Amino acid sequence: GAGVSQSPSNKVTEKGKDVELRCDPISGHTALYWYRQSLGQGLEFLIYFQGNSAPDKSGLPSDRFSAERTGGSVSTLTIQRTQQEDSAVYLCASYGGGDTQYFGPGTRLTVL
Amino acid sequence: AQSVSQHNHHVILSEAASLELGCNYSYGGTVNLFWYVQYPGQHLQLLLKYFSGDPLVKGIKGFEAEFIKSKFSFNLRKPSVQWSDTAEYFCAVNPGNTPLVFGKGTRLSVIA
């Protein structure tokens, strides 16, 4: 597609449930990033994939968070045993060597 | 660790007023600097960027920013704001192809 797409656009879940968020980057982009946007915290880096290298997980807030990228393209961010503080907008961005990262529309996660 | 400070949390201006949003960063090496904008209900979009060269950069919609290395600053300016500029503005920095470090954002409200 022309841009980064994310699904679902909105997700409401109950505390303790697992959720999966999907990102489809721009075709051919080798780098993929996950960020989290929450009230009062701004945008925080979570995890970064570059080609076939091991991902940079330094931004993941806890071991309940994990992500994978299959075939160097689609990525899934998984949050296990969700907590209310996980409520946020989760943004994916891809980078292909140009000027900047391109962001998707985000997934708004609400944990009740 | 790198950090980005945006001095204003919420700015309210009348149409035609001039705008300046402050941004300071902590990284001492060579960095790429960005301003992103998020209009209500839309995803993050690149407003302008500085990689090297002329420290005064011009972006879309009449915005510009000046990189002052000695002050570690990259302030965003617009001489005359419009109601359609109502949005949240994020300053970001990265040294090369690395995850972006964002400021907490400045919400701009332009009133008629």
Side-chain angles (χ1 to χ4, degrees):
Chain A
V4 179
S5 60
Q6 292 186 244
S7 61
S9 55
N10 280 286
K11 177 72 177 178
V12 180
T13 190
E14 294 178 348
K15 178 181 172 181
K17 300 281 190 182
D18 297 352
V19 295
E20 286 189 350
L21 312 179
R22 177 187 168 104
C23 171
D24 282 90
I26 293 172
S27 178
H29 279 196
T30 57
L32 186 149
Y33 305 79
W34 283 97
Y35 296 89
R36 178 169 69 174
Q37 184 177 18
S38 50
L39 279 175
Q41 296 299 318
L43 281 144
E44 305 169 284
F45 160 70
L46 296 177
I47 187 168
Y48 159 48
F49 297 88
Q50 172 62 63
N52 295 321
S53 303
D56 176 353
K57 304 179 183 180
S58 59
L60 294 178
S62 79
D63 59 8
R64 296 185 295 106
F65 287 71
S66 63
E68 62 178 21
R69 189 177 184 193
T70 53
S73 180
V74 171
S75 178
T76 303
L77 177 70
T78 301
I79 309 173
Q80 296 178 307
R81 305 181 302 282
T82 52
Q83 303 295 313
Q84 288 182 331
E85 61 263 27
D86 300 335
S87 295
V89 176
Y90 289 82
L91 294 170
C92 175
S94 73
Y95 176 76
D99 288 347
T100 183
Q101 300 171 20
Y102 291 88
F103 284 81
T107 295
R108 181 174 297 277
L109 174 66
T110 303
V111 182
L112 301 176
Chain B
Q2 299 169 57
S3 66
V4 177
S5 299
Q6 291 184 242
H7 314 303
N8 311 100
H9 178 62
H10 188 194
V11 173
I12 302 173
L13 293 173
S14 299
E15 277 191 304
S18 64
L19 169 72
E20 180 158 2
L21 301 182
C23 173
N24 287 89
Y25 62 94
S26 65
Y27 188 70
T30 302
V31 292
N32 300 325
L33 297 157
F34 306 83
W35 276 96
Y36 284 85
V37 61
Q38 189 171 32
Y39 297 102
Q42 296 188 27
H43 60 272
L44 275 172
Q45 300 171 44
L46 181 67
L47 198 55
L48 49 78
K49 62 187 184 297
Y50 172 80
F51 284 7
S52 63
D54 188 343
L56 183 63
V57 292
K58 296 191 183 297
I60 60 172
K61 304 185 180 184
F63 286 90
E64 64 179 32
E66 184 175 13
F67 169 53
I68 302 179
K69 188 174 182 179
S70 61
K71 295 185 178 179
F72 298 89
S73 70
F74 191 55
N75 292 355
L76 181 71
R77 300 194 293 246
K78 185 171 183 178
S80 176
V81 294
Q82 302 172 313
W83 178 81
S84 58
D85 294 324
T86 294
E88 189 147 18
Y89 293 81
F90 294 92
C91 182
V93 59
N94 76 336
N97 182 18
T98 60
L100 290 163
V101 177
F102 286 90
K104 290 192 184 299
T106 298
R107 185 156 64 100
L108 173 64
S109 299
V110 180
I111 56 178

